[in-house]
Amino acid sequence: MIKLSLRRQRLFWVNCCKSCNNHLHDHSKGCWLWMGATAKGYGHIMINKKLYKAHKIAYYLHTGIWIIKYGLHKCDNKRCINPRHVYEGTQTDNMHDAMVRKRLIWSNRTHCSRSHELKAGDVIYRGKHGRKCRLCSNFTERERYHRNKTKVSV
């Protein structure tokens, strides 16, 4: 956890635009845009020679709770630092949200390359690598097992 002086907190909030007229985002969702430095779309700020994500700092300053894992956005706006739009979650939660909100390339696919339907119980989630068909995965594992078994017995 970090400690910020009142001066440093004021400097932090200077980079926040709660109602600016910005063509990049519709403010009807109530997003507070980070106007400072960004990396990969997320706001960043340097504190005590360490880089922090701005939405995690805003959440901490507003609630007093430090997000240990991931700070996920309800609004899908990477530059938003509104603490009401941020919640703590895991990478799995993040990938599930991305899939449900159709932000991933593979999230629209309904069938695997072998034409098996990708239903909830028949899918293995592989993080940023997408989904994998459980039937195909089991088949591949059986094939690998038998291939390795024949190598040993020869």
Side-chain angles (χ1 to χ4, degrees):
M1 193 173 340
I2 59 169
K3 293 198 182 225
L4 291 174
S5 66
L6 287 176
R7 180 181 173 277
R8 190 69 173 145
Q9 289 179 35
R10 280 194 297 273
L11 288 172
F12 174 83
W13 290 114
V14 164
N15 287 308
C16 173
C17 179
K18 294 181 182 178
S19 61
C20 62
N21 190 6
N22 191 314
H23 70 282
L24 296 174
H25 189 69
D26 175 18
H27 283 280
S28 63
K29 292 182 180 178
C31 292
W32 300 351
L33 295 184
W34 178 254
M35 303 307 286
T38 60
K40 296 183 180 179
Y42 292 97
H44 281 82
I45 186 167
M46 186 76 74
I47 300 171
N48 299 330
K49 299 181 182 179
K50 187 173 179 195
L51 202 61
Y52 292 93
K53 288 190 176 173
H55 62 280
K56 289 177 83 170
I57 298 295
Y59 187 86
Y60 170 69
L61 292 175
H62 191 71
T63 65
I65 300 168
W66 182 252
I67 293 177
I68 296 170
K69 297 178 183 177
Y70 289 82
L72 309 180
H73 288 92
K74 296 175 187 173
C75 59
D76 286 336
N77 182 1
K78 292 180 179 183
R79 291 180 56 206
C80 178
I81 63 168
N82 185 340
R84 292 182 197 96
H85 294 188
V86 178
Y87 64 99
E88 185 172 10
T90 63
Q91 178 62 12
T92 304
D93 297 333
N94 196 25
M95 293 308 296
H96 181 264
D97 284 353
M99 187 187 74
V100 168
R101 295 174 186 168
K102 307 280 187 213
R103 284 187 281 121
L104 300 173
I105 295 168
W106 50 266
S107 60
N108 293 327
R109 286 182 39 203
T110 58
H111 290 78
C112 75
S113 58
R114 293 183 180 149
S115 299
H116 299 125
E117 190 176 1
L118 295 174
K119 295 182 290 188
D122 298 330
V123 176
I124 299 169
Y125 295 98
R126 302 182 313 158
K128 67 180 180 181
H129 302 293
R131 298 178 293 178
K132 189 175 182 181
C133 172
R134 188 176 302 278
L135 296 170
C136 292
S137 179
N138 290 344
F139 178 77
T140 305
E141 291 301 318
R142 277 194 304 275
E143 244 181 10
R144 184 178 296 128
Y145 171 78
H146 290 296
R147 192 173 43 242
N148 289 338
K149 190 176 179 182
T150 57
K151 284 181 183 177
V152 172
S153 62
V154 172

